[in-house]
Amino acid sequence: MLNKEKDMSESVMATDKGKDASESARCGRKLPLWLALPLLLVAAGLLAPLIYFTVRANSEACLDGLRAQTECQGLNQHLQRQLDQAQEVLHEKEAEAATCEQTVVTLRDSLKKEQARVEELQGELATLNQQLQDAWERLRGQSESSGENNGSSSYFLLFLLLPAALFVICKCLKK
């Protein structure tokens, strides 16, 4: 049995050696001409456009275009930042304008109220002036009918009414 195993291992080794020898013989062989020629044409066909596009990509015009594109991108970014800042300022100014408009509305309302109050006070002042004028006319009429003696008392009464009327007028104006 031992002999059989030895013989088998030797035959397997010989077969492996034979395979190795045939594979190395194949690797050392040349490609058939019918296969090499199309491969060479394909390689040349791919190499020519590669060289053409490489030369074209590194041409002065292409490099100028890349520089111009980079410059434009930088300029666009700068302009975008400026636009963003301008929009922020615009929003701030719009908020300020809204506040100012609200203030104007409030001031107009206050002005209308004050104008109504002034008209009311002017009406009261006109009434008081009319009352003072009427009192003056009555005193003058009494003074003429009573004579000189009562005239001094009429003037005394007028001097009492005049400060009271001025007091009432000033009080109305302060409101």
Side-chain angles (χ1 to χ4, degrees), residues 4 8 29 35 59 70-71 79-81 108 154:
K4 276 187 173 183
M8 283 175 91
R29 274 195 235 163
L35 184 61
S59 71
T70 304
E71 186 178 318
L79 291 173
Q80 186 63 44
R81 283 191 300 272
R108 280 187 183 151
S154 297

PDB file of all heavy atoms in Angstrom, residues 4 8 29 35 59 70-71 79-81 108 154:
ATOM      1  N   LYS A   4       1.807   2.070  -3.466  1.00  0.00           N
ATOM      2  CA  LYS A   4       0.755   2.666  -4.282  1.00  0.00           C
ATOM      3  C   LYS A   4       0.615   4.149  -3.977  1.00  0.00           C
ATOM      4  O   LYS A   4       0.441   4.954  -4.879  1.00  0.00           O
ATOM      5  CB  LYS A   4      -0.579   1.967  -4.015  1.00  0.00           C
ATOM      6  CG  LYS A   4      -0.782   0.739  -4.803  1.00  0.00           C
ATOM      7  CD  LYS A   4      -2.179   0.287  -4.543  1.00  0.00           C
ATOM      8  CE  LYS A   4      -2.524  -0.870  -5.433  1.00  0.00           C
ATOM      9  NZ  LYS A   4      -3.858  -1.307  -5.297  1.00  0.00           N
ATOM     10  N   MET A   8       1.154   7.296  -6.530  1.00  0.00           N
ATOM     11  CA  MET A   8       0.111   8.289  -6.782  1.00  0.00           C
ATOM     12  C   MET A   8       0.623   9.696  -6.516  1.00  0.00           C
ATOM     13  O   MET A   8       0.345  10.613  -7.286  1.00  0.00           O
ATOM     14  CB  MET A   8      -1.106   8.019  -5.887  1.00  0.00           C
ATOM     15  CG  MET A   8      -1.921   6.877  -6.389  1.00  0.00           C
ATOM     16  SD  MET A   8      -3.221   6.532  -5.243  1.00  0.00           S
ATOM     17  CE  MET A   8      -4.508   7.499  -5.794  1.00  0.00           C
ATOM     18  N   ARG A  29       4.301  32.717 -24.846  1.00  0.00           N
ATOM     19  CA  ARG A  29       3.906  32.790 -26.249  1.00  0.00           C
ATOM     20  C   ARG A  29       3.481  34.192 -26.625  1.00  0.00           C
ATOM     21  O   ARG A  29       3.013  34.947 -25.807  1.00  0.00           O
ATOM     22  CB  ARG A  29       2.722  31.867 -26.503  1.00  0.00           C
ATOM     23  CG  ARG A  29       3.117  30.485 -26.803  1.00  0.00           C
ATOM     24  CD  ARG A  29       1.946  29.756 -27.377  1.00  0.00           C
ATOM     25  NE  ARG A  29       1.709  28.564 -26.595  1.00  0.00           N
ATOM     26  CZ  ARG A  29       0.621  27.857 -26.598  1.00  0.00           C
ATOM     27  NH1 ARG A  29      -0.409  28.246 -27.320  1.00  0.00           N
ATOM     28  NH2 ARG A  29       0.506  26.780 -25.902  1.00  0.00           N
ATOM     29  N   LEU A  35      -5.296  39.088 -33.226  1.00  0.00           N
ATOM     30  CA  LEU A  35      -5.775  39.685 -31.980  1.00  0.00           C
ATOM     31  C   LEU A  35      -4.950  40.921 -31.616  1.00  0.00           C
ATOM     32  O   LEU A  35      -5.478  41.900 -31.091  1.00  0.00           O
ATOM     33  CB  LEU A  35      -5.704  38.643 -30.865  1.00  0.00           C
ATOM     34  CG  LEU A  35      -6.244  39.060 -29.511  1.00  0.00           C
ATOM     35  CD1 LEU A  35      -7.738  39.404 -29.617  1.00  0.00           C
ATOM     36  CD2 LEU A  35      -6.035  37.960 -28.496  1.00  0.00           C
ATOM     37  N   SER A  59      -4.396  74.297 -22.933  1.00  0.00           N
ATOM     38  CA  SER A  59      -4.149  75.427 -23.833  1.00  0.00           C
ATOM     39  C   SER A  59      -4.368  76.735 -23.087  1.00  0.00           C
ATOM     40  O   SER A  59      -5.023  76.798 -22.046  1.00  0.00           O
ATOM     41  CB  SER A  59      -5.064  75.350 -25.052  1.00  0.00           C
ATOM     42  OG  SER A  59      -6.394  75.634 -24.667  1.00  0.00           O
ATOM     43  N   THR A  70     -13.148  81.298 -12.295  1.00  0.00           N
ATOM     44  CA  THR A  70     -12.823  81.467 -10.877  1.00  0.00           C
ATOM     45  C   THR A  70     -13.067  82.907 -10.440  1.00  0.00           C
ATOM     46  O   THR A  70     -13.626  83.161  -9.370  1.00  0.00           O
ATOM     47  CB  THR A  70     -11.353  81.075 -10.628  1.00  0.00           C
ATOM     48  OG1 THR A  70     -11.138  79.751 -11.089  1.00  0.00           O
ATOM     49  CG2 THR A  70     -11.000  81.166  -9.162  1.00  0.00           C
ATOM     50  N   GLU A  71     -12.655  83.844 -11.283  1.00  0.00           N
ATOM     51  CA  GLU A  71     -12.863  85.258 -10.969  1.00  0.00           C
ATOM     52  C   GLU A  71     -14.352  85.585 -10.886  1.00  0.00           C
ATOM     53  O   GLU A  71     -14.802  86.294  -9.985  1.00  0.00           O
ATOM     54  CB  GLU A  71     -12.175  86.109 -12.040  1.00  0.00           C
ATOM     55  CG  GLU A  71     -12.183  87.593 -11.757  1.00  0.00           C
ATOM     56  CD  GLU A  71     -11.428  88.365 -12.837  1.00  0.00           C
ATOM     57  OE1 GLU A  71     -10.360  87.902 -13.265  1.00  0.00           O
ATOM     58  OE2 GLU A  71     -11.929  89.431 -13.229  1.00  0.00           O
ATOM     59  N   LEU A  79     -20.832  89.731  -4.610  1.00  0.00           N
ATOM     60  CA  LEU A  79     -22.110  90.393  -4.875  1.00  0.00           C
ATOM     61  C   LEU A  79     -23.239  89.780  -4.058  1.00  0.00           C
ATOM     62  O   LEU A  79     -24.129  90.493  -3.588  1.00  0.00           O
ATOM     63  CB  LEU A  79     -22.439  90.332  -6.368  1.00  0.00           C
ATOM     64  CG  LEU A  79     -21.548  91.180  -7.276  1.00  0.00           C
ATOM     65  CD1 LEU A  79     -21.876  90.901  -8.743  1.00  0.00           C
ATOM     66  CD2 LEU A  79     -21.677  92.646  -6.958  1.00  0.00           C
ATOM     67  N   GLN A  80     -23.201  88.463  -3.852  1.00  0.00           N
ATOM     68  CA  GLN A  80     -24.228  87.805  -3.038  1.00  0.00           C
ATOM     69  C   GLN A  80     -24.159  88.286  -1.591  1.00  0.00           C
ATOM     70  O   GLN A  80     -25.184  88.538  -0.967  1.00  0.00           O
ATOM     71  CB  GLN A  80     -24.055  86.278  -3.102  1.00  0.00           C
ATOM     72  CG  GLN A  80     -25.156  85.523  -2.399  1.00  0.00           C
ATOM     73  CD  GLN A  80     -26.519  85.740  -3.029  1.00  0.00           C
ATOM     74  OE1 GLN A  80     -26.657  85.720  -4.232  1.00  0.00           O
ATOM     75  NE2 GLN A  80     -27.530  85.964  -2.222  1.00  0.00           N
ATOM     76  N   ARG A  81     -22.928  88.444  -1.072  1.00  0.00           N
ATOM     77  CA  ARG A  81     -22.778  88.970   0.298  1.00  0.00           C
ATOM     78  C   ARG A  81     -23.323  90.391   0.394  1.00  0.00           C
ATOM     79  O   ARG A  81     -24.015  90.735   1.349  1.00  0.00           O
ATOM     80  CB  ARG A  81     -21.311  88.924   0.731  1.00  0.00           C
ATOM     81  CG  ARG A  81     -20.815  87.549   1.116  1.00  0.00           C
ATOM     82  CD  ARG A  81     -19.448  87.606   1.777  1.00  0.00           C
ATOM     83  NE  ARG A  81     -18.420  88.192   0.925  1.00  0.00           N
ATOM     84  CZ  ARG A  81     -17.673  87.513   0.062  1.00  0.00           C
ATOM     85  NH1 ARG A  81     -17.835  86.220  -0.062  1.00  0.00           N
ATOM     86  NH2 ARG A  81     -16.751  88.120  -0.657  1.00  0.00           N
ATOM     87  N   ARG A 108     -50.989 112.035  15.114  1.00  0.00           N
ATOM     88  CA  ARG A 108     -52.156 112.639  14.456  1.00  0.00           C
ATOM     89  C   ARG A 108     -53.384 112.561  15.360  1.00  0.00           C
ATOM     90  O   ARG A 108     -54.154 113.519  15.447  1.00  0.00           O
ATOM     91  CB  ARG A 108     -52.450 111.936  13.133  1.00  0.00           C
ATOM     92  CG  ARG A 108     -51.568 112.382  12.014  1.00  0.00           C
ATOM     93  CD  ARG A 108     -51.998 111.784  10.696  1.00  0.00           C
ATOM     94  NE  ARG A 108     -51.081 112.178   9.647  1.00  0.00           N
ATOM     95  CZ  ARG A 108     -50.816 111.467   8.580  1.00  0.00           C
ATOM     96  NH1 ARG A 108     -51.423 110.305   8.409  1.00  0.00           N
ATOM     97  NH2 ARG A 108     -49.972 111.891   7.679  1.00  0.00           N
ATOM     98  N   SER A 154     -68.853 151.245  40.203  1.00  0.00           N
ATOM     99  CA  SER A 154     -68.953 150.394  39.022  1.00  0.00           C
ATOM    100  C   SER A 154     -67.564 149.993  38.543  1.00  0.00           C
ATOM    101  O   SER A 154     -67.339 148.846  38.168  1.00  0.00           O
ATOM    102  CB  SER A 154     -69.673 151.111  37.898  1.00  0.00           C
ATOM    103  OG  SER A 154     -70.982 151.402  38.273  1.00  0.00           O
TER     104      SER A 154
END
